[in-house]
Every structure is written in C-alpha cells, then in structure tokens.
Amino acid sequence: MDKVRLALMMLILLGSIFANKNLAVADASKQLENLKLKQVRNQTASKTPVLLGLYAPDYLGNQSTIDSQLRQVDQWVGKRHSIAGLFLDIEDSNPAYNIPVPLEQLKHNGYTAFINLKSTRSAAQIARGDVDSSLQKVAKAYADWAKKGEGRMAFIAPLQEMNIPGEAYSQDPQNFKLAYQRIQKIFKEAGISSQAIRWVFAPNGWSKKNEHRFENYYPGDKSVDVVAFSSYNWGYCSNSSWKHWNSPKEVFEPYIKRMKVMAGSKPIFIAQTASTSNTQNGLQKGAKDRWLQDSYTQLAGMGVRAILYFNINKECDWAINSNSGKSAGYKDAVNNPAFGYLSPTELAKKI
C-alpha cells in the first residue's frame, strides 16, 4: 500500500512540474507574441508621417470650394493635406445629400473627412433618445456611402469640445458619455463596419474647472479609436476674454501629456488649432508666422499623428491668408519632413 501511495505521489508531483513548465512556456510565448505585435505597431507608426488637415469656410460638397480652399493651399505650400475638417448637425435637414456628397467629393480629390458631429440639443436629450430618428437618418446616409467600399472611411467626433461652455450639450460628463455611446449604437445598427469609421473623442484642451477636465468625459478605450483636442492661441484677439500670447508649449504640451496618460494606446490628433496675429502691440503677421513655425516643429516631435488647422476667420483672424497676404510661417512650418501625405485608402489602413 505504501508503495502504491508513493507512486501516486510521484505521479502527482511530476504532473505538477510539467503543468508549471507548460504554463511558463505558454506565458513566455504570449509575452513574445505581444512584444512582436508591439514592435510591428511601433514600426508602422514610425513609417507613418504626421498628417496635415484643414478646415475650409465653405461647403465641401462643391468642387469649386475644394479647388480654391484645399487644393490651392496644397499647391501653395508644396505639400498635400490628407484630412479635411467639417461640421455636421445631428438634425441636418438633408443628410442623404449632405453626407455622401462632400465625403465622396473629398475622397475623389484625395482627402479624408473629419466630421464634427454637433447638435443644438443637450447631452441629456441625446442620451435619452430624443433625436434618435435624426441620428438614424444620418447613420443610414453614412452607411450607404461607406458600403460602396474601396477604403471609404471618415473620422467622426461626436459633440466636439463638450467640456467648455458654448454648446447646448456642454459640461455634462455623464450624459455626454451616454450620448456618445448612443450615437455609436445607432451607427452600428445601421450596419456600418468598424473598418469604415474611426470614432474620435475630441474635447477642448483647456477647461475652466477641474470637474470639466477632459478625462472626466472620456467614454473609454473600447469606444474610441482616436483621441484629439482643440487648442488655440487667442493672443490679444478682441473676442478673447483673457488676453495673453500663448506659446506653443502652453497651447499643446500639457494636453498631449494628459492624453497619453488617459489613453496611451490611442493615436493623438490636434482636432482644431490656429493662431491670431493680434499681439499686445497690435497686429503682427510675423508673430503669427513664428508661432506657426514653432508649433508645427514642436508637434512633429511630440507623437501626434495629425494636425487640423482651422483656416476660417471666425472669432479671430485664424485663416492663414488673413491681414493682407498668406502666412509664410504656415508654408515653412508644414515643409518639415516629418509631415507627409496619405491617400484615403492608405490612411484607412494606417490609423
């Protein structure tokens, strides 16, 4: 009996040793696989240029707008922009036209759309389904366009700049997250492939109170493909409530660092940026030029994947052709070799 018991104990011991060895081998294999995957991603990222983007003041469904407000800028700076920013209201009167037409025109001309999906409704109203019927029309229009295939893809940023005052949906973290997820759910129900859309979390960088720091609005890694933020140099613009010439470091660095902590695995875009030429000593085009040069040089080395310039004179003289003449600073800034172009098909594969 003792011999049998001893033999059984030896078998159990040997089984445990082999099991542990197998587990160790499996763990090592998994670690090696993860390391290789990380290396592939890093190699892919290192081969991907920092992308340039522009917002245009007029309707991008018109070829004349694309020619004069995108392609002419490309020709002037000697480098192509990959992304075109635009705004679309959830309750747009004709999404069946106002989604596929500009998206198709942009794709035909070699640009990928970055859609800020805005609303005049509160985050709570969107979260509880008050605009579901409008969202379903938007989602269907996007699905019909995307289902044509051939790498059709756009970036969609629901309820941009939600963490600062100014919009009906502003400053409601909990309902923003619910609204964001409801929008995604409706798009998924429309049959849109995950390959045909990149969901963007696009707050403002700065917020007045800690409770509205963008981290409090983040819907989570599973709901987001790209993280982005808006940040401007308002300088001494008449519409600025706080007069101060902001250096590129002030405008970008703290928010990039925070986004890397919040969502370290996600690509970072500058969703909107621009500078005024209004300084403490009046309009100075040279100051804006230097700001642009310094900003793009700094951003090229900070790990961002795209920069979209708000080329529209709205609150301030943001446009690069403001105040008599185009900004040589912008032209110089984007000719940094770190910036490059990806076609819509290439971009869909890379990001």
Side-chain angles (χ1 to χ4, degrees):
M1 181 65 75
D2 289 341
K3 289 182 179 179
V4 172
R5 188 176 297 164
L6 182 61
L8 285 170
M9 289 176 66
M10 288 294 291
L11 285 171
I12 292 169
L13 180 62
L14 287 170
S16 175
I17 290 169
F18 282 119
N20 288 335
K21 282 186 176 179
N22 287 337
L23 283 172
V25 169
D27 286 345
S29 177
K30 186 68 175 177
Q31 287 174 8
L32 183 60
E33 182 182 338
N34 289 339
L35 180 61
K36 286 180 178 178
L37 184 59
K38 188 174 181 180
Q39 287 172 340
V40 168
R41 285 174 178 164
N42 288 340
Q43 287 168 1
T44 301
S46 67
K47 292 176 183 177
T48 304
V50 180
L51 305 176
L52 299 167
L54 279 178
Y55 286 87
D58 297 320
Y59 181 60
L60 289 171
N62 295 329
Q63 183 62 43
S64 59
T65 300
I66 293 174
D67 287 342
S68 62
Q69 298 176 17
L70 295 179
R71 297 184 73 172
Q72 279 190 15
V73 177
D74 289 351
Q75 291 166 8
W76 169 60
V77 299
K79 188 167 283 193
R80 293 211 62 179
H81 291 73
S82 300
I83 303 172
L86 57 105
F87 296 85
L88 180 79
D89 196 289
I90 285 171
E91 295 177 274
D92 183 85
S93 60
N94 191 7
Y97 183 88
N98 288 328
I99 289 178
V101 171
L103 266 58
E104 195 63 19
Q105 283 287 84
L106 288 169
K107 183 180 185 299
H108 176 73
N109 284 274
Y111 303 99
T112 298
F114 184 104
I115 304 170
N116 294 273
L117 195 58
K118 62 180 184 174
S119 180
T120 56
R121 302 296 190 106
S122 71
Q125 287 176 308
I126 299 167
R128 69 173 175 243
D130 289 6
V131 294
D132 277 6
S133 60
S134 294
L135 275 169
Q136 286 160 358
K137 291 175 185 176
V138 169
K140 182 182 184 305
Y142 188 89
D144 290 346
W145 173 77
K147 286 174 183 175
K148 294 178 182 178
E150 297 181 357
R152 282 173 172 79
M153 182 277 289
F155 297 94
I156 297 184
L159 312 178
Q160 77 285 350
E161 296 182 341
M162 77 302 296
N163 59 325
I164 56 172
E167 304 291 349
Y169 54 78
S170 295
Q171 297 188 307
D172 185 352
Q174 189 56 38
N175 278 310
F176 166 77
K177 287 185 273 192
L178 294 172
Y180 185 103
Q181 289 162 355
R182 191 177 194 94
I183 292 167
Q184 285 188 315
K185 179 175 178 288
I186 289 171
F187 271 68
K188 186 176 181 180
E189 289 170 350
I192 300 165
S193 162
S194 61
Q195 298 302 311
I197 194 166
R198 299 293 182 274
W199 291 104
V200 185
F201 173 64
N204 199 62
W206 173 88
S207 55
K208 189 172 183 179
K209 297 180 180 179
N210 283 340
E211 65 193 274
H212 295 302
R213 286 165 67 94
F214 56 69
E215 291 88 343
N216 296 327
Y217 291 77
Y218 188 54
D221 284 355
K222 290 182 179 180
S223 301
V224 174
D225 298 305
V226 174
V227 294
F229 66 91
S230 302
S231 199
Y232 289 75
N233 173 31
W234 288 78
Y236 289 79
C237 177
S238 59
N239 288 325
S240 175
S241 58
W242 182 55
K243 305 291 191 289
H244 174 68
W245 187 264
N246 293 280
S247 70
K249 185 172 183 178
E250 291 174 295
V251 172
F252 302 112
E253 188 172 308
Y255 312 123
I256 292 173
K257 286 181 176 179
R258 282 168 51 194
M259 284 205 154
K260 286 180 177 179
V261 172
M262 178 188 74
S265 65
K266 304 296 179 182
I268 299 174
F269 283 17
I270 307 301
Q272 298 178 39
T273 192
S275 177
T276 179
S277 60
N278 282 275
T279 72
Q280 192 171 12
N281 299 313
L283 291 174
Q284 292 191 4
K285 184 173 173 290
K288 180 174 179 175
D289 285 345
R290 286 190 296 276
W291 190 91
L292 290 167
Q293 291 165 346
D294 292 345
S295 292
Y296 277 71
T297 299
Q298 177 177 317
L299 289 168
M302 292 196 70
V304 302
R305 301 289 294 278
I307 308 166
L308 280 73
Y309 192 82
F310 192 80
N311 198 31
I312 304 170
N313 285 332
K314 191 180 176 186
E315 305 91 346
C316 298
D317 59 330
W318 304 128
I320 55 178
N321 59 346
S322 302
N323 303 319
S324 69
K326 295 177 180 176
S327 169
Y330 186 78
K331 183 177 182 178
D332 292 342
V334 302
N335 272 287
N336 183 319
F339 300 113
Y341 171 76
L342 290 178
S343 70
T345 303
E346 292 172 320
L347 202 161
K349 292 176 182 177
K350 292 278 188 179
I351 297 178

